[in-house]
Amino acid sequence: KNEVEQSPQNLTAQEGEFITINCSYSVGISALHWLQQHPGGGIVSLFMLSSGKKKHGRLIATINIQEKHSSLHITASHPRDSAVYICAVASGGGADGLTFGKGTHLIIQP
Amino acid sequence: ETGVTQTPRHLVMGMTNKKSLKCEQHLGHNAMYWYKQSAKKPLELMFVYSLEERVENNSVPSRFSPECPNSSHLFLHLHTLQPEDSALYLCASSQEMGVSYEQYFGPGTRLTVT
């Protein structure tokens, strides 16, 4: 079973700061997902990646397959970025499902 | 606006009650999922349905009973729950079954068992 570790667990930063959230996993994967969960509970998929780097607006996700590590970066952070960011990995196909990290609780202060 | 809706959004029930959670997706997806999110714990996959057939049951107690009458609807029937079952229950869907497909989540049902 894949172990997914996220760091930090909690992060408070000032508006405008560059944010990095890290995710490490123990077993080789077929895909890694970054999700965003707002206080109301709803979850939005931000990225799905299996190699390299993806960018969407102020968000950048990178993955290093050899090191079993992924990072989510937020540039020019804003209070509306405050949320829980969850890393999830897919170790195989079919109905194996995703293994989720515990999440990183991010607060951006104005 | 999410393409996956869940009702009710909040539910309080006693341990002897029977209730059902409903999920509906308007995305034309073939796979649907139930997840449980307890406080301070990662999301846990409960059930997976592909083309209305259950393909995964992650050792979920029988007091949780899923039903998928068609590819757009998914239910979770609840009976004789325990207080530790209090959690956020999330439904998701994807184009096909398989973890390489992006999953679209509903807003969740916040369940409290008293």
Side-chain angles (χ1 to χ4, degrees), chain A:
Chain A
K1 183 172 162 53
N2 219 332
E3 302 291 330
V4 180
E5 296 289 335
Q6 285 187 238
S7 62
Q9 290 185 22
N10 298 282
L11 177 58
T12 300
Q14 295 298 122
E15 183 174 356
E17 287 189 40
F18 182 81
I19 303 298
T20 295
I21 298 170
N22 297 297
C23 176
S24 297
Y25 49 92
S26 58
V27 178
I29 62 171
S30 57
L32 183 143
H33 300 247
W34 280 105
L35 309 168
Q36 180 191 55
Q37 185 172 29
H38 279 283
I43 292 177
V44 174
S45 177
L46 298 175
F47 295 104
M48 182 176 67
L49 64 165
S50 55
S51 66
K53 175 180 175 179
K54 286 191 176 181
K55 184 176 189 291
H56 181 71
R58 294 180 294 105
L59 301 177
I60 303 166
T62 64
I63 187 168
N64 185 317
I65 296 295
Q66 287 73 33
E67 295 186 3
K68 297 186 178 62
H69 180 269
S70 174
S71 293
L72 177 68
H73 305 285
I74 305 174
T75 62
S77 59
H78 189 276
R80 65 175 174 267
D81 296 325
S82 299
V84 176
Y85 292 85
I86 301 170
C87 170
V89 301
S91 300
D96 291 345
L98 294 169
T99 302
F100 294 83
K102 290 185 178 180
T104 294
H105 189 189
L106 175 66
I107 297 174
I108 303 297
Q109 294 178 335

Side-chain angles (χ1 to χ4, degrees), chain A residues 30-31 33 35 37 39-46 48 86 89-102, chain B residues 9 33 35 37 40-45 48 55-56 58 88 90 97-108 110:
Chain A
S30 57
H33 300 247
L35 309 168
Q37 185 172 29
I43 292 177
V44 174
S45 177
L46 298 175
M48 182 176 67
I86 301 170
V89 301
S91 300
D96 291 345
L98 294 169
T99 302
F100 294 83
K102 290 185 178 180
Chain B
R9 294 293 307 276
Y33 311 78
Y35 289 95
Q37 188 178 37
K40 309 289 186 187
K41 289 186 176 181
L43 274 84
E44 303 169 58
L45 178 66
V48 180
V55 294
E56 181 80 5
N58 269 359
L88 181 68
L90 290 152
M97 185 185 67
V99 293
S100 296
Y101 290 92
E102 184 176 0
Q103 294 188 20
Y104 293 76
F105 287 81
R110 178 74 61 187

Side-chain angles (χ1 to χ4, degrees), chain B residues 34-78:
Chain B
W34 277 118
Y35 289 95
K36 176 183 179 183
Q37 188 178 37
S38 303
K40 309 289 186 187
K41 289 186 176 181
L43 274 84
E44 303 169 58
L45 178 66
M46 299 176 73
F47 301 104
V48 180
Y49 275 82
S50 176
L51 296 170
E52 303 144 48
E53 296 289 326
R54 189 194 309 180
V55 294
E56 181 80 5
N57 176 346
N58 269 359
S59 303
V60 179
S62 59
R63 57 185 184 270
F64 296 92
S65 174
E67 178 190 2
C68 187
N70 56 62
S71 59
S72 299
H73 293 86
L74 186 64
F75 294 89
L76 188 62
H77 304 298
L78 316 171

